[in-house]
PDB file of all heavy atoms in Angstrom:
ATOM      1  N   ASN A 123     131.935 109.501  85.350  1.00  0.00           N
ATOM      2  CA  ASN A 123     131.321 110.272  86.422  1.00  0.00           C
ATOM      3  C   ASN A 123     132.349 110.834  87.389  1.00  0.00           C
ATOM      4  O   ASN A 123     132.275 111.990  87.772  1.00  0.00           O
ATOM      5  CB  ASN A 123     130.315 109.416  87.193  1.00  0.00           C
ATOM      6  CG  ASN A 123     129.003 109.294  86.443  1.00  0.00           C
ATOM      7  OD1 ASN A 123     128.878 109.764  85.324  1.00  0.00           O
ATOM      8  ND2 ASN A 123     128.032 108.658  87.049  1.00  0.00           N
ATOM      9  N   TRP A 124     133.279 109.992  87.826  1.00  0.00           N
ATOM     10  CA  TRP A 124     134.206 110.564  88.814  1.00  0.00           C
ATOM     11  C   TRP A 124     135.669 110.187  88.671  1.00  0.00           C
ATOM     12  O   TRP A 124     136.532 110.983  89.016  1.00  0.00           O
ATOM     13  CB  TRP A 124     133.722 110.306  90.246  1.00  0.00           C
ATOM     14  CG  TRP A 124     133.732 108.868  90.700  1.00  0.00           C
ATOM     15  CD1 TRP A 124     132.714 107.972  90.606  1.00  0.00           C
ATOM     16  CD2 TRP A 124     134.806 108.169  91.343  1.00  0.00           C
ATOM     17  NE1 TRP A 124     133.073 106.764  91.133  1.00  0.00           N
ATOM     18  CE2 TRP A 124     134.354 106.858  91.602  1.00  0.00           C
ATOM     19  CE3 TRP A 124     136.115 108.519  91.717  1.00  0.00           C
ATOM     20  CZ2 TRP A 124     135.154 105.887  92.209  1.00  0.00           C
ATOM     21  CZ3 TRP A 124     136.902 107.550  92.327  1.00  0.00           C
ATOM     22  CH2 TRP A 124     136.419 106.251  92.568  1.00  0.00           C
ATOM     23  N   ILE A 125     135.971 109.011  88.108  1.00  0.00           N
ATOM     24  CA  ILE A 125     137.394 108.653  88.079  1.00  0.00           C
ATOM     25  C   ILE A 125     138.167 109.586  87.142  1.00  0.00           C
ATOM     26  O   ILE A 125     139.184 110.171  87.534  1.00  0.00           O
ATOM     27  CB  ILE A 125     137.572 107.164  87.715  1.00  0.00           C
ATOM     28  CG1 ILE A 125     137.022 106.331  88.878  1.00  0.00           C
ATOM     29  CG2 ILE A 125     139.050 106.840  87.453  1.00  0.00           C
ATOM     30  CD1 ILE A 125     137.217 104.852  88.773  1.00  0.00           C
ATOM     31  N   GLY A 126     137.647 109.763  85.931  1.00  0.00           N
ATOM     32  CA  GLY A 126     138.316 110.658  84.975  1.00  0.00           C
ATOM     33  C   GLY A 126     138.476 112.065  85.540  1.00  0.00           C
ATOM     34  O   GLY A 126     139.599 112.591  85.622  1.00  0.00           O
ATOM     35  N   PRO A 127     137.361 112.708  85.966  1.00  0.00           N
ATOM     36  CA  PRO A 127     137.489 114.064  86.523  1.00  0.00           C
ATOM     37  C   PRO A 127     138.442 114.143  87.716  1.00  0.00           C
ATOM     38  O   PRO A 127     139.150 115.135  87.881  1.00  0.00           O
ATOM     39  CB  PRO A 127     136.050 114.397  86.950  1.00  0.00           C
ATOM     40  CG  PRO A 127     135.193 113.580  86.028  1.00  0.00           C
ATOM     41  CD  PRO A 127     135.950 112.311  85.777  1.00  0.00           C
ATOM     42  N   THR A 128     138.492 113.085  88.529  1.00  0.00           N
ATOM     43  CA  THR A 128     139.396 113.126  89.691  1.00  0.00           C
ATOM     44  C   THR A 128     140.851 113.046  89.239  1.00  0.00           C
ATOM     45  O   THR A 128     141.718 113.728  89.786  1.00  0.00           O
ATOM     46  CB  THR A 128     139.063 111.965  90.655  1.00  0.00           C
ATOM     47  OG1 THR A 128     137.675 112.051  90.991  1.00  0.00           O
ATOM     48  CG2 THR A 128     139.884 112.059  91.929  1.00  0.00           C
ATOM     49  N   ILE A 129     141.109 112.225  88.231  1.00  0.00           N
ATOM     50  CA  ILE A 129     142.486 112.144  87.715  1.00  0.00           C
ATOM     51  C   ILE A 129     142.901 113.500  87.149  1.00  0.00           C
ATOM     52  O   ILE A 129     144.003 113.982  87.381  1.00  0.00           O
ATOM     53  CB  ILE A 129     142.605 111.032  86.637  1.00  0.00           C
ATOM     54  CG1 ILE A 129     142.401 109.662  87.287  1.00  0.00           C
ATOM     55  CG2 ILE A 129     143.955 111.104  85.924  1.00  0.00           C
ATOM     56  CD1 ILE A 129     142.302 108.508  86.301  1.00  0.00           C
ATOM     57  N   MET A 130     141.978 114.118  86.429  1.00  0.00           N
ATOM     58  CA  MET A 130     142.324 115.418  85.845  1.00  0.00           C
ATOM     59  C   MET A 130     142.616 116.445  86.916  1.00  0.00           C
ATOM     60  O   MET A 130     143.475 117.294  86.761  1.00  0.00           O
ATOM     61  CB  MET A 130     141.183 115.899  84.957  1.00  0.00           C
ATOM     62  CG  MET A 130     141.157 115.115  83.655  1.00  0.00           C
ATOM     63  SD  MET A 130     139.926 115.762  82.562  1.00  0.00           S
ATOM     64  CE  MET A 130     138.740 114.489  82.619  1.00  0.00           C
ATOM     65  N   ARG A 131     141.902 116.354  88.017  1.00  0.00           N
ATOM     66  CA  ARG A 131     142.071 117.364  89.054  1.00  0.00           C
ATOM     67  C   ARG A 131     143.289 117.092  89.951  1.00  0.00           C
ATOM     68  O   ARG A 131     144.011 117.998  90.301  1.00  0.00           O
ATOM     69  CB  ARG A 131     140.784 117.408  89.877  1.00  0.00           C
ATOM     70  CG  ARG A 131     140.902 118.115  91.188  1.00  0.00           C
ATOM     71  CD  ARG A 131     140.236 119.470  91.151  1.00  0.00           C
ATOM     72  NE  ARG A 131     140.476 120.169  92.395  1.00  0.00           N
ATOM     73  CZ  ARG A 131     139.560 120.815  93.068  1.00  0.00           C
ATOM     74  NH1 ARG A 131     138.331 120.860  92.601  1.00  0.00           N
ATOM     75  NH2 ARG A 131     139.855 121.423  94.192  1.00  0.00           N
ATOM     76  N   TYR A 132     143.502 115.834  90.325  1.00  0.00           N
ATOM     77  CA  TYR A 132     144.528 115.544  91.329  1.00  0.00           C
ATOM     78  C   TYR A 132     145.711 114.724  90.816  1.00  0.00           C
ATOM     79  O   TYR A 132     146.689 114.552  91.539  1.00  0.00           O
ATOM     80  CB  TYR A 132     143.914 114.791  92.521  1.00  0.00           C
ATOM     81  CG  TYR A 132     143.003 115.628  93.386  1.00  0.00           C
ATOM     82  CD1 TYR A 132     141.618 115.559  93.246  1.00  0.00           C
ATOM     83  CD2 TYR A 132     143.530 116.474  94.362  1.00  0.00           C
ATOM     84  CE1 TYR A 132     140.777 116.316  94.045  1.00  0.00           C
ATOM     85  CE2 TYR A 132     142.699 117.237  95.171  1.00  0.00           C
ATOM     86  CZ  TYR A 132     141.323 117.150  95.007  1.00  0.00           C
ATOM     87  OH  TYR A 132     140.501 117.893  95.808  1.00  0.00           O
ATOM     88  N   GLY A 133     145.615 114.170  89.600  1.00  0.00           N
ATOM     89  CA  GLY A 133     146.671 113.277  89.131  1.00  0.00           C
ATOM     90  C   GLY A 133     147.957 114.014  88.764  1.00  0.00           C
ATOM     91  O   GLY A 133     147.932 115.205  88.424  1.00  0.00           O
ATOM     92  N   SER A 134     149.100 113.296  88.829  1.00  0.00           N
ATOM     93  CA  SER A 134     150.365 113.871  88.356  1.00  0.00           C
ATOM     94  C   SER A 134     150.328 113.875  86.828  1.00  0.00           C
ATOM     95  O   SER A 134     149.495 113.202  86.208  1.00  0.00           O
ATOM     96  CB  SER A 134     151.530 113.007  88.843  1.00  0.00           C
ATOM     97  OG  SER A 134     151.434 111.723  88.238  1.00  0.00           O
ATOM     98  N   GLU A 135     151.232 114.620  86.211  1.00  0.00           N
ATOM     99  CA  GLU A 135     151.254 114.659  84.748  1.00  0.00           C
ATOM    100  C   GLU A 135     151.404 113.254  84.178  1.00  0.00           C
ATOM    101  O   GLU A 135     150.743 112.877  83.210  1.00  0.00           O
ATOM    102  CB  GLU A 135     152.403 115.552  84.256  1.00  0.00           C
ATOM    103  CG  GLU A 135     152.119 117.045  84.409  1.00  0.00           C
ATOM    104  CD  GLU A 135     150.738 117.460  83.893  1.00  0.00           C
ATOM    105  OE1 GLU A 135     150.380 117.067  82.773  1.00  0.00           O
ATOM    106  OE2 GLU A 135     149.998 118.152  84.637  1.00  0.00           O
ATOM    107  N   GLU A 136     152.274 112.492  84.821  1.00  0.00           N
ATOM    108  CA  GLU A 136     152.527 111.136  84.348  1.00  0.00           C
ATOM    109  C   GLU A 136     151.249 110.289  84.440  1.00  0.00           C
ATOM    110  O   GLU A 136     150.905 109.536  83.517  1.00  0.00           O
ATOM    111  CB  GLU A 136     153.632 110.542  85.219  1.00  0.00           C
ATOM    112  CG  GLU A 136     154.335 109.367  84.611  1.00  0.00           C
ATOM    113  CD  GLU A 136     155.286 108.737  85.631  1.00  0.00           C
ATOM    114  OE1 GLU A 136     155.812 109.484  86.490  1.00  0.00           O
ATOM    115  OE2 GLU A 136     155.454 107.512  85.580  1.00  0.00           O
ATOM    116  N   GLN A 137     150.542 110.436  85.563  1.00  0.00           N
ATOM    117  CA  GLN A 137     149.295 109.668  85.728  1.00  0.00           C
ATOM    118  C   GLN A 137     148.264 110.078  84.692  1.00  0.00           C
ATOM    119  O   GLN A 137     147.571 109.244  84.111  1.00  0.00           O
ATOM    120  CB  GLN A 137     148.755 109.862  87.151  1.00  0.00           C
ATOM    121  CG  GLN A 137     149.550 109.078  88.185  1.00  0.00           C
ATOM    122  CD  GLN A 137     149.279 109.519  89.618  1.00  0.00           C
ATOM    123  OE1 GLN A 137     148.844 110.642  89.866  1.00  0.00           O
ATOM    124  NE2 GLN A 137     149.556 108.634  90.559  1.00  0.00           N
ATOM    125  N   LYS A 138     148.177 111.371  84.450  1.00  0.00           N
ATOM    126  CA  LYS A 138     147.204 111.827  83.453  1.00  0.00           C
ATOM    127  C   LYS A 138     147.523 111.219  82.083  1.00  0.00           C
ATOM    128  O   LYS A 138     146.623 110.734  81.394  1.00  0.00           O
ATOM    129  CB  LYS A 138     147.224 113.354  83.350  1.00  0.00           C
ATOM    130  CG  LYS A 138     146.583 114.043  84.538  1.00  0.00           C
ATOM    131  CD  LYS A 138     146.554 115.544  84.306  1.00  0.00           C
ATOM    132  CE  LYS A 138     146.378 116.268  85.622  1.00  0.00           C
ATOM    133  NZ  LYS A 138     146.655 117.686  85.573  1.00  0.00           N
ATOM    134  N   GLU A 139     148.803 111.271  81.720  1.00  0.00           N
ATOM    135  CA  GLU A 139     149.189 110.767  80.401  1.00  0.00           C
ATOM    136  C   GLU A 139     148.907 109.285  80.244  1.00  0.00           C
ATOM    137  O   GLU A 139     148.526 108.815  79.187  1.00  0.00           O
ATOM    138  CB  GLU A 139     150.690 111.007  80.170  1.00  0.00           C
ATOM    139  CG  GLU A 139     150.972 112.315  79.492  1.00  0.00           C
ATOM    140  CD  GLU A 139     152.448 112.660  79.544  1.00  0.00           C
ATOM    141  OE1 GLU A 139     153.285 111.742  79.355  1.00  0.00           O
ATOM    142  OE2 GLU A 139     152.758 113.844  79.803  1.00  0.00           O
ATOM    143  N   LYS A 140     149.085 108.573  81.338  1.00  0.00           N
ATOM    144  CA  LYS A 140     148.945 107.134  81.248  1.00  0.00           C
ATOM    145  C   LYS A 140     147.488 106.675  81.419  1.00  0.00           C
ATOM    146  O   LYS A 140     147.015 105.776  80.717  1.00  0.00           O
ATOM    147  CB  LYS A 140     149.797 106.506  82.351  1.00  0.00           C
ATOM    148  CG  LYS A 140     149.981 105.031  82.199  1.00  0.00           C
ATOM    149  CD  LYS A 140     151.105 104.544  83.096  1.00  0.00           C
ATOM    150  CE  LYS A 140     150.703 103.203  83.659  1.00  0.00           C
ATOM    151  NZ  LYS A 140     151.176 102.946  84.981  1.00  0.00           N
ATOM    152  N   LEU A 141     146.778 107.326  82.339  1.00  0.00           N
ATOM    153  CA  LEU A 141     145.478 106.779  82.730  1.00  0.00           C
ATOM    154  C   LEU A 141     144.300 107.348  81.943  1.00  0.00           C
ATOM    155  O   LEU A 141     143.276 106.684  81.786  1.00  0.00           O
ATOM    156  CB  LEU A 141     145.242 107.014  84.231  1.00  0.00           C
ATOM    157  CG  LEU A 141     146.296 106.397  85.161  1.00  0.00           C
ATOM    158  CD1 LEU A 141     146.073 106.833  86.602  1.00  0.00           C
ATOM    159  CD2 LEU A 141     146.253 104.861  85.063  1.00  0.00           C
ATOM    160  N   LEU A 142     144.467 108.578  81.455  1.00  0.00           N
ATOM    161  CA  LEU A 142     143.299 109.181  80.800  1.00  0.00           C
ATOM    162  C   LEU A 142     142.991 108.626  79.406  1.00  0.00           C
ATOM    163  O   LEU A 142     141.812 108.412  79.094  1.00  0.00           O
ATOM    164  CB  LEU A 142     143.431 110.708  80.754  1.00  0.00           C
ATOM    165  CG  LEU A 142     143.201 111.401  82.108  1.00  0.00           C
ATOM    166  CD1 LEU A 142     143.493 112.901  82.003  1.00  0.00           C
ATOM    167  CD2 LEU A 142     141.768 111.191  82.593  1.00  0.00           C
ATOM    168  N   PRO A 143     144.017 108.386  78.559  1.00  0.00           N
ATOM    169  CA  PRO A 143     143.662 107.956  77.193  1.00  0.00           C
ATOM    170  C   PRO A 143     142.724 106.736  77.126  1.00  0.00           C
ATOM    171  O   PRO A 143     141.741 106.784  76.374  1.00  0.00           O
ATOM    172  CB  PRO A 143     145.029 107.697  76.543  1.00  0.00           C
ATOM    173  CG  PRO A 143     145.950 108.622  77.274  1.00  0.00           C
ATOM    174  CD  PRO A 143     145.463 108.637  78.694  1.00  0.00           C
ATOM    175  N   PRO A 144     142.968 105.676  77.913  1.00  0.00           N
ATOM    176  CA  PRO A 144     142.016 104.556  77.808  1.00  0.00           C
ATOM    177  C   PRO A 144     140.602 104.919  78.271  1.00  0.00           C
ATOM    178  O   PRO A 144     139.609 104.417  77.729  1.00  0.00           O
ATOM    179  CB  PRO A 144     142.612 103.491  78.744  1.00  0.00           C
ATOM    180  CG  PRO A 144     144.021 103.903  79.021  1.00  0.00           C
ATOM    181  CD  PRO A 144     144.093 105.381  78.830  1.00  0.00           C
TER     182      PRO A 144
END
Side-chain angles (χ1 to χ4, degrees):
Chain A
N123 281 5
W124 67 268
I125 292 185
T128 305
I129 293 172
M130 286 185 251
R131 165 106 185 225
Y132 289 100
S134 65
E135 284 312 312
E136 200 187 329
Q137 285 165 337
K138 287 184 200 166
E139 268 168 41
K140 192 165 142 213
L141 301 173
L142 286 174

